[in-house]
Amino acid sequence: MANKDNIERFNTDLNQGLSDEQVLLRKKQKLVNKSKKAFGKSYAEIIVSNLFSFFNVLLYIIAGIMIYFAVRYNDPKIIWGMFFLVVLLANTIIGLYEDIKARYLLGKLRLITQPKATVIRNGQQVVIDVQDIVLDDVVLIEKDTQIGVDGIVLQGEVGVNESFITGESVNVFKGPGKEVYSGTFVASGSAYIRADKVGANCLANSLQAKANAFKRSPSEILKSLNRLFLVIGVTVIVMAIFLVITFAVQGKFANDELLLKGVKSITGSLVAMIPSGLYLLTSTALAVGVIGLSKKKAQVQDFYSVEMLARVDTLCVDKTGTITDGNLVVKKVIPLKASYSDGDIAQAVSNVICATKDKNATATALKTYFDLELSAGVLVALPFSSENKYSGASFKGGKTLIIGAPEFMPLTNKVGVIKRCEEFTKDGYRVVVLGEGKDTIKDNKYTGILEAVALIVIKDHIRDDAAETFAWFKDNGVDIKVISGDSARTVSAIASEAGIANADKFISLEGMTLEEVKNIALQYTVFGRVTPEQKEVLVIALKEAGKTVAMTGDGVNDILALKRSDCSIAMASGADAAKNISHIILMDSNFARLPAVVDEGRRVVNNLQRTASLFVTKTIFAFAITFIFTLASIIERDPTVQYPFVTNHLYLWEIFTSGYAAFFIALERNSEKIEGKFLPNVFKKAIPAATLWIASVCIIFLFFVLQRNKVMNVGIYSRDTAVAMSVITFSILGIAFLYKVCSPMSRYRFIIFLSIVAINVVFLTVTSIVSLVNHIVEPVLQIPYIEMNGPSLITTVIVTIVCVALYLFVYQIIAIYKGDKHEN
């Protein structure tokens, strides 16, 4: 599992490999190429955590009590009050879906995908599982295979694609004594290596372990809801205990009739306190956002990432795939040697490209521009590598041609050539030099002297929509950080041309320590020559500075930074490992989709903040009314005083005025920048509305007490009359609150508002007619209309009008004071 300093190393013979005894010893020492799988929660844990969450358990208990008493006393009206189970079921299904999907994606994160390896043991080649390789095994690596362990080359030579580490898809040649790393691919050649690091110590496994270990940053909404639900849950339990003790002491459980009324009162108040609809609204709104994003060619892996992207104020991007489309174009050829005509230069470049068979972006651009057949016999070909920074070939006749970066080529008049190249590189161009020499390439190097034949000026093709995309981010307050493996100066020039603000502030991170990188993260816009670890540190530094960071990437070398970011965005054309740990995947790999994706996120979050207060209002109301009525029963020593409502009394509000309205308002387009924190925004609207509800109920029951004591007569002859008046009043007050939630009133919100008004009118009218005609309390809303009369109806109208007028008047005064045009 872990290599130890005191472990004896075997000087393994290349031809014999390890013996069975040595392999057995390594297995006992646990020095095997196995790594711990990290899948997060098991399926059993996911099911248990979702079925038996804190609120679910509370609701199960309440539902169990209600079912028991409905059956015991043959009271079907209690069953009509269990609509909350529908919400509970929907919340559970959504939670299960999200957790199972997250586990599935984490399970797919595998950086070593080669299942088998060839090793030498007991003098013979043996094919084994990669995870069965042990420390000091001799492993054969060949073309088109993935290296499964970190090792040292013993014999042979291979070209290795280390884009896994560097982000550059060019080959690095490895000979005897050189290190090779797990997770990289053999592009050419074959070699024998000795396993130097296995298991968790391998580069690929250590990188994967880090990626698995990091937890995604929870969204502002999720954190807020978790805090809110914790406080509410604890308060519900405390309140339940308080109510049961109070009821028992007051003798409210003394007989079956009192017991049934007491249970209805307690369960009604507790269900009203739990804002289960708020969680369902959040989940469904985010789910609708995910569907909307899919239409914009964006696949969302985690519902809450929609919100995180909407809150982003710093976006980290690579040059290739975001600013540029990855294509290179030859813009100009400048001859430097008089004996070479334009045709000679074209033939020379074509010969090198044909000989090396390179297929990187630079070679493709050169082949497109100089598309001629091979005209000379090839002695030695040298494909491009990130180690040499050049490619070339030695031809029959004693001539060697090299193409590459002038800084790394043994040129005569090198200083003058580089100075000439800088005339173009400062403007964002790449420049490669065609050089001619007489020595032959040996050991994957050219050690002779080269004479510069021509400069070839190449340009990255900037995406046609790049300037418009970056302008959108600038206008919407999102800072751009360009993080690239290329030259910082070149990237800076390209970023400037694409319209990225402050692109002239650039720096190369080559050779910098991680601590140095962290210290300069906020000072620059463009970072060049960046390693995977440096990318990660940049993201960490930005987050520690209070930024909400999104990271785009498409390679394995991006996964640490992607995992650290608040919102990670991968391209569909990128590596599977990058896609599997990213929050959002752009399915057409088009960076220009991002503004529309951010807009979608803002729609969801802004509308959630607008409507969440509808649900919190009911919670505040239930807590306050329960406490006030229980306290009143203690003070007055009147056991008949208790929370007066059952769950059905809040159906109009819970199902339609808040549930139906909130859902459809959440669908409305809203691309405004998100302002403030979630909970403060919610409570700012919920507290005044809840206060209004509480005041109206208290006023009506105060009138009832006064009438009972013969101080006044307003038609409230029974407690049930006061209940009916209160339900009608706060149902209408809910419409007034919805009006404020919908303000400023758009046409879309006006239609929703009118439909809610119509629904309330229809339900109140129909249920009242059913009750009065049949002289019963109908089972749906369970409002005791039959206890009302003319004076009580007039009192209800007056109280409602006064409360609504006062509510709207106070808002108007506040708006005038603040100068808020939307509210005024």
Side-chain angles (χ1 to χ4, degrees), residues 93 97 213 266 285 345 663 750 770 817:
I93 291 172
Y97 170 78
I266 293 174
I345 294 173
F663 175 77
F750 184 66
V770 170
Y817 175 75

Side-chain angles (χ1 to χ4, degrees), residues 388-448:
N388 291 330
K389 301 293 184 184
Y390 58 76
S391 62
S394 295
F395 298 93
K396 294 177 181 178
K399 182 186 293 185
T400 294
L401 296 172
I402 301 290
I403 300 173
E407 309 96 289
F408 300 92
M409 296 169 63
L411 296 166
T412 58
N413 191 23
K414 186 171 184 175
V415 174
V417 172
I418 291 176
K419 188 174 181 180
R420 186 79 184 275
C421 292
E422 287 175 349
E423 297 175 12
F424 300 96
T425 56
K426 65 181 177 62
D427 293 324
Y429 291 93
R430 297 186 184 190
V431 181
V432 295
V433 175
L434 171 64
E436 179 188 63
K438 296 181 180 179
D439 294 297
T440 302
I441 295 169
K442 292 181 180 179
D443 300 324
N444 292 311
K445 290 282 186 183
Y446 182 79
T447 56

Side-chain angles (χ1 to χ4, degrees), residues 52 64 91 101 103 192 256 289 292 327 470 472 492 544 554 602 617 678 703 726 777-779:
F52 302 102
N91 281 336
K101 183 178 179 181
R103 187 187 190 279
Y192 289 95
D256 286 351
N327 296 317
F470 289 117
W472 186 93
S492 170
E544 288 179 351
D554 58 5
R602 289 181 173 181
T617 298
F678 182 73
F703 286 171
S726 297
V777 176
E778 51 76 34

Side-chain angles (χ1 to χ4, degrees), residues 626-734:
T626 301
F627 180 76
I628 290 170
F629 275 73
T630 306
L631 187 62
S633 72
I634 295 172
I635 294 173
E636 294 187 11
R637 297 182 180 180
D638 184 354
T640 64
V641 177
Q642 59 192 28
Y643 178 81
F645 309 111
V646 295
T647 55
N648 306 61
H649 291 157
L650 291 165
Y651 274 1
L652 268 181
W653 170 260
E654 192 166 17
I655 299 174
F656 297 107
T657 308
S658 59
Y660 165 88
F663 175 77
F664 283 100
I665 290 174
L667 301 180
E668 186 183 20
R669 180 176 175 79
N670 189 332
S671 58
E672 296 176 4
K673 188 176 179 181
I674 299 171
E675 300 290 346
K677 298 289 186 178
F678 182 73
L679 278 185
N681 285 339
V682 170
F683 276 99
K684 186 169 64 175
K685 292 180 179 178
I687 290 175
T691 303
L692 183 69
W693 277 27
I694 296 163
S696 66
V697 172
C698 289
I699 290 170
I700 290 172
F701 274 87
L702 177 61
F703 286 171
F704 165 63
V705 172
L706 293 175
Q707 177 154 346
R708 188 177 59 181
N709 292 320
K710 300 181 180 180
V711 176
M712 60 189 302
N713 186 352
V714 289
I716 311 177
Y717 297 110
S718 69
R719 190 178 302 277
D720 283 344
T721 306
V723 169
M725 293 171 63
S726 297
V727 174
I728 294 170
T729 299
F730 65 60
S731 296
I732 297 173
L733 292 178

Side-chain angles (χ1 to χ4, degrees), residues 126-161:
V126 183
V127 177
I128 63 172
D129 290 337
V130 167
Q131 64 179 3
D132 290 333
I133 298 174
V134 300
L135 185 67
D136 295 323
D137 248 330
V138 175
V139 184
L140 172 64
I141 57 175
E142 298 177 288
K143 183 181 179 182
D144 298 328
T145 60
Q146 187 182 32
I147 300 174
V149 293
D150 293 0
I152 306 294
V153 177
L154 299 176
Q155 179 180 299
E157 186 174 73
V158 286
V160 182
N161 185 326

Side-chain angles (χ1 to χ4, degrees), residues 1-3 26 29-36 198-202:
M1 300 264 289
N3 291 323
R26 285 293 190 242
Q29 294 169 331
K30 296 185 177 180
L31 296 175
V32 187
N33 197 39
K34 292 182 179 179
S35 60
K36 184 179 179 181
V198 295
N201 284 337
C202 284

Side-chain angles (χ1 to χ4, degrees), residues 192-230:
Y192 289 95
I193 64 170
R194 184 180 70 241
D196 192 51
K197 292 179 181 178
V198 295
N201 284 337
C202 284
L203 178 65
N205 287 333
S206 63
L207 191 61
Q208 180 174 304
K210 290 181 181 180
N212 284 339
F214 299 150
K215 294 182 179 179
R216 292 173 175 172
S217 301
S219 70
E220 168 67 24
I221 290 177
L222 183 58
K223 288 189 292 185
S224 298
L225 289 179
N226 286 339
R227 288 197 297 267
L228 178 64
F229 289 164
L230 177 62

Side-chain angles (χ1 to χ4, degrees), residues 245-458:
I245 292 174
T246 303
F247 277 37
V249 170
Q250 293 180 335
K252 293 181 181 180
F253 301 144
N255 56 57
D256 286 351
E257 184 180 354
L258 289 176
L259 178 61
L260 187 59
K261 286 184 178 180
V263 167
K264 286 183 177 181
S265 174
I266 293 174
T267 56
S269 64
L270 295 182
V271 170
M273 292 176 196
I274 299 174
S276 52
L278 174 57
Y279 191 90
L280 180 60
L281 170 69
T282 305
S283 299
T284 52
L286 292 171
V288 170
V290 168
I291 295 171
L293 288 172
S294 68
K295 296 178 181 178
K296 296 176 171 62
K297 304 297 183 183
Q299 177 182 315
V300 178
Q301 313 270 53
D302 169 21
F303 281 7
Y304 283 94
S305 61
V306 174
E307 181 220 347
M308 293 312 299
L309 182 60
R311 292 186 182 275
V312 160
D313 56 28
T314 305
L315 176 63
C316 298
V317 302
D318 195 358
K319 172 181 67 66
T320 305
T322 51
I323 306 175
T324 65
D325 59 12
N327 296 317
L328 300 179
V329 179
V330 175
K331 304 298 289 187
K332 186 181 294 187
V333 179
I334 303 170
L336 297 179
K337 189 174 181 181
S339 60
Y340 268 74
S341 65
D342 291 345
D344 294 334
I345 294 173
Q347 187 62 66
V349 173
S350 295
N351 283 348
V352 173
I353 300 301
C354 291
T356 60
K357 298 179 181 178
D358 281 335
K359 294 181 180 179
N360 55 58
T362 301
T364 300
L366 293 175
K367 184 173 178 60
T368 301
Y369 194 83
F370 306 103
D371 191 15
L372 300 176
E373 297 294 328
L374 184 66
S375 66
V378 180
L379 293 176
V380 183
L382 177 63
F384 184 85
S385 72
S386 58
E387 184 177 11
N388 291 330
K389 301 293 184 184
Y390 58 76
S391 62
S394 295
F395 298 93
K396 294 177 181 178
K399 182 186 293 185
T400 294
L401 296 172
I402 301 290
I403 300 173
E407 309 96 289
F408 300 92
M409 296 169 63
L411 296 166
T412 58
N413 191 23
K414 186 171 184 175
V415 174
V417 172
I418 291 176
K419 188 174 181 180
R420 186 79 184 275
C421 292
E422 287 175 349
E423 297 175 12
F424 300 96
T425 56
K426 65 181 177 62
D427 293 324
Y429 291 93
R430 297 186 184 190
V431 181
V432 295
V433 175
L434 171 64
E436 179 188 63
K438 296 181 180 179
D439 294 297
T440 302
I441 295 169
K442 292 181 180 179
D443 300 324
N444 292 311
K445 290 282 186 183
Y446 182 79
T447 56
I449 300 298
L450 294 170
E451 183 179 0
V453 173
L455 304 183
I456 304 170
V457 181
I458 301 173

